[in-house]
Amino acid sequence: MTAFEQIKNDEQQYMMHTYGRFHAALVSGKGATAKDVDGKEYIDFTSGIGVNSLGFCDDGWVKAVSTQAATIQHISNLYYSPLQTELSKKLCELTGFDKVFLCNSGAEANECAIKTARKYSYDKYGEGRQKIVTLLNSFHGRTVTTLAATGQKVFHNFFFPFTEGFEYAQANDIDDLVRKTNDDSVCAVFVELVQGEGGVMPLTKEFVNAIDAICKEKDLLFMVDEVQTGVSRTGAFYCYQNYGIQPDIITSAKGLGGGVPIGACLCTEKLADVLSAGTHGTTFGGNPISCAAANEVVARVAAPEFLAEVNNKGDYFRSKIAKMGNVKKITGMGMMIGIETEKDNAKEIAAKCVENGLLILTAKNMLRLLPPLTISYEEIDKGLAILKNTMEA
Ligand SMILES: *Cc1c(COP(=O)(O)O)cnc(C)c1O
């Protein structure tokens, strides 16, 4: 039995069968290049699903994490942490937000947003104003509540009863949005600006402006799930900054820690005291190692020159992909890229790419690219050559 076969067998025997995995066991990496257990190399267009913003084992990131691990690894939220305040201050200064809650994942950041919306409304209007409008084809997480927030029927199975109080509007359909928010029990609208898992589908400026106007008119909270789009992925530090709006809440996770678990929920001053002491909390949230990692990531990726480079690389990807065979449509923003194939064979291509030495994602019927933001042009060219051969085979 090869080393890979042994790992695969043990996974089957000892782990819950929650994942359909690609045929590779990755054990090390540097930059945008990973190595599997047999020493084979792969170019990485995935960042571990938008997580490794600085690539594998970036020198500055490794130093921040390992130094923190050797200094103090966890203190709980019973005590003050300068790493938490440093991160929160930076996040506020780089955005239009005023307060931060730190947690561990995207789903948890979204739970925080949902709780904030409901309590804001309860405090101000009393009971009965608890409904949150999300979008069809969205993805907001795997907890029972964030599954309910997710506007896809396939996720509303088995785990009944789901959390009540979500209504789904058609993305980019202002009439449907108006219909769904024309209801006294609505307290918030919660959207991804580029639907990630739903197929790398950006919202139009008109639609986003309509959400903004309706929310202002009806005192609904405008909440944006930036778990995938955030931390410079779309060429702005947070994607909402590309739209020229200021939501009431955004949620962040994935790329924020550059490879360690961390999430954040950011809100404006009017929501500062909604989640008062005792109404929300977390054991691990704002863990020192995660904060040290996030501080390093944020210090690097929010710089204007870095953001310009993300946009340049995104354009470079797009112009090269546009010239490949089997490409029907390219979607997305910055370094969040979707490819619709002529042959409707994204899943097959993704599996073949792994065989050929390229890690790539899918989202619905699309190929999805979330390369590390620091990927070099040499690595981009290597990966795109593999993609082209696989697409045109
Ligand atoms: C990945 C993702 C989530 C869930 O994040 P987890 O860290 O897996 O809980 C939520 N929303 C969006 C938009 C995501 O892409």
Side-chain angles (χ1 to χ4, degrees):
M1 205 184 288
T2 65
F4 175 71
E5 282 164 350
Q6 183 67 56
I7 293 163
K8 195 173 164 181
N9 282 355
D10 287 350
E11 196 263 4
Q12 276 298 304
Q13 186 169 351
Y14 296 112
M15 298 188 72
M16 290 196 198
H17 299 155
T18 44
Y19 302 109
R21 299 183 201 257
F22 288 108
H23 198 81
L26 306 176
V27 294
S28 66
K30 187 76 188 167
T33 307
K35 253 190 205 166
D36 74 10
V37 69
D38 298 313
K40 176 179 158 185
E41 288 193 349
Y42 302 81
I43 295 293
D44 179 28
F45 282 180
T46 73
S47 314
I49 321 188
V51 166
N52 302 323
S53 321
L54 304 175
F56 295 115
C57 302
D58 169 85
D59 291 343
W61 183 89
V62 168
K63 184 159 177 276
V65 169
S66 54
T67 303
Q68 190 55 44
T71 305
I72 194 164
Q73 83 276 29
H74 180 77
I75 57 173
S76 89
N77 283 308
L78 297 173
Y79 309 98
Y80 291 94
S81 161
L83 294 151
Q84 289 186 356
T85 52
E86 181 188 340
L87 178 60
S88 302
K89 184 168 183 237
K90 269 193 223 155
L91 290 174
C92 290
E93 284 172 354
L94 289 163
T95 64
F97 294 94
D98 303 293
K99 295 285 183 287
V100 178
F101 178 83
L102 296 172
C103 54
N104 312 287
S105 67
E108 274 179 89
N110 290 345
E111 290 270 352
C112 180
I114 291 162
K115 285 176 75 172
T116 305
R118 287 186 170 180
K119 186 160 180 299
Y120 169 74
S121 194
Y122 184 93
D123 291 347
K124 195 163 170 183
Y125 299 96
E127 271 178 57
R129 198 172 176 275
Q130 73 295 75
K131 204 182 272 177
I132 297 173
V133 174
T134 64
L135 298 181
L136 289 167
N137 216 32
S138 58
F139 182 80
H140 297 295
R142 294 284 189 170
T143 63
V144 173
T145 296
T146 54
L147 280 176
T150 294
Q152 301 188 48
K153 279 222 168 71
V154 290
F155 288 104
H156 301 162
N157 267 310
F158 320 122
F159 313 114
F160 305 105
F162 286 94
T163 306
E164 288 174 33
F166 293 95
E167 181 77 44
Y168 316 104
Q170 183 69 48
N172 294 332
D173 181 339
I174 296 177
D175 291 341
D176 196 36
L177 175 75
V178 169
R179 250 191 319 273
K180 300 288 160 61
T181 49
N182 194 12
D183 171 346
D184 290 341
S185 66
V186 173
C187 66
V189 178
F190 190 26
V191 304
E192 297 158 271
L193 293 172
V194 183
Q195 295 189 325
E197 307 300 318
V200 200
M201 217 277 296
L203 299 188
T204 63
K205 275 221 161 81
E206 294 71 34
F207 186 69
V208 171
N209 288 338
I211 300 174
D212 194 36
I214 290 171
C215 286
K216 287 199 168 95
E217 182 200 318
K218 295 176 181 287
D219 192 21
L220 313 179
L221 297 189
F222 186 179
M223 315 200 292
V224 179
D225 182 340
E226 293 251 20
V227 170
Q228 192 160 151
T229 51
V231 198
S232 305
R233 173 57 55 189
T234 66
F237 184 45
Y238 281 99
C239 188
Y240 81 87
Q241 294 164 320
N242 283 325
Y243 284 83
I245 49 154
Q246 178 59 55
D248 299 295
I249 292 183
I250 60 167
T251 57
S252 186
K254 289 201 166 88
L256 183 57
V260 293
I262 185 166
C265 178
L266 282 61
C267 73
T268 55
E269 194 61 42
K270 84 170 178 190
L271 303 170
D273 296 315
V274 171
L275 293 182
S276 49
T279 59
H280 198 46
T282 156
T283 298
F284 281 110
N287 167 275
I289 298 173
S290 300
C291 285
N295 280 325
E296 173 71 14
V297 170
V298 172
R300 302 261 297 276
V301 306
E305 319 81 67
F306 190 97
L307 291 169
E309 199 50 26
V310 169
N311 283 313
N312 289 340
K313 284 177 192 171
D315 291 345
Y316 186 77
F317 267 106
R318 276 164 234 279
S319 70
K320 287 246 173 162
I321 292 166
K323 295 194 190 94
M324 292 180 191
N326 193 19
V327 172
K328 189 170 175 188
K329 193 169 144 200
I330 305 172
T331 65
M333 211 180 280
M335 285 174 80
M336 180 171 183
I337 300 165
I339 308 170
E340 189 180 346
T341 61
E342 291 281 0
K343 295 181 192 160
D344 196 17
N345 58 349
K347 294 237 154 51
E348 213 176 295
I349 287 176
K352 281 268 162 56
C353 279
V354 175
E355 262 177 56
N356 297 339
L358 174 67
L359 308 177
I360 190 167
L361 300 160
T362 60
K364 290 274 150 62
N365 66 332
M366 310 281 282
L367 285 165
R368 176 173 45 147
L369 280 59
L370 299 171
L373 305 177
T374 52
I375 191 170
S376 66
Y377 280 94
E378 194 188 336
E379 287 167 318
I380 295 175
D381 285 340
K382 252 190 189 173
L384 286 176
I386 297 170
L387 181 61
K388 180 175 160 69
N389 286 336
T390 312
M391 288 280 277
E392 295 173 358

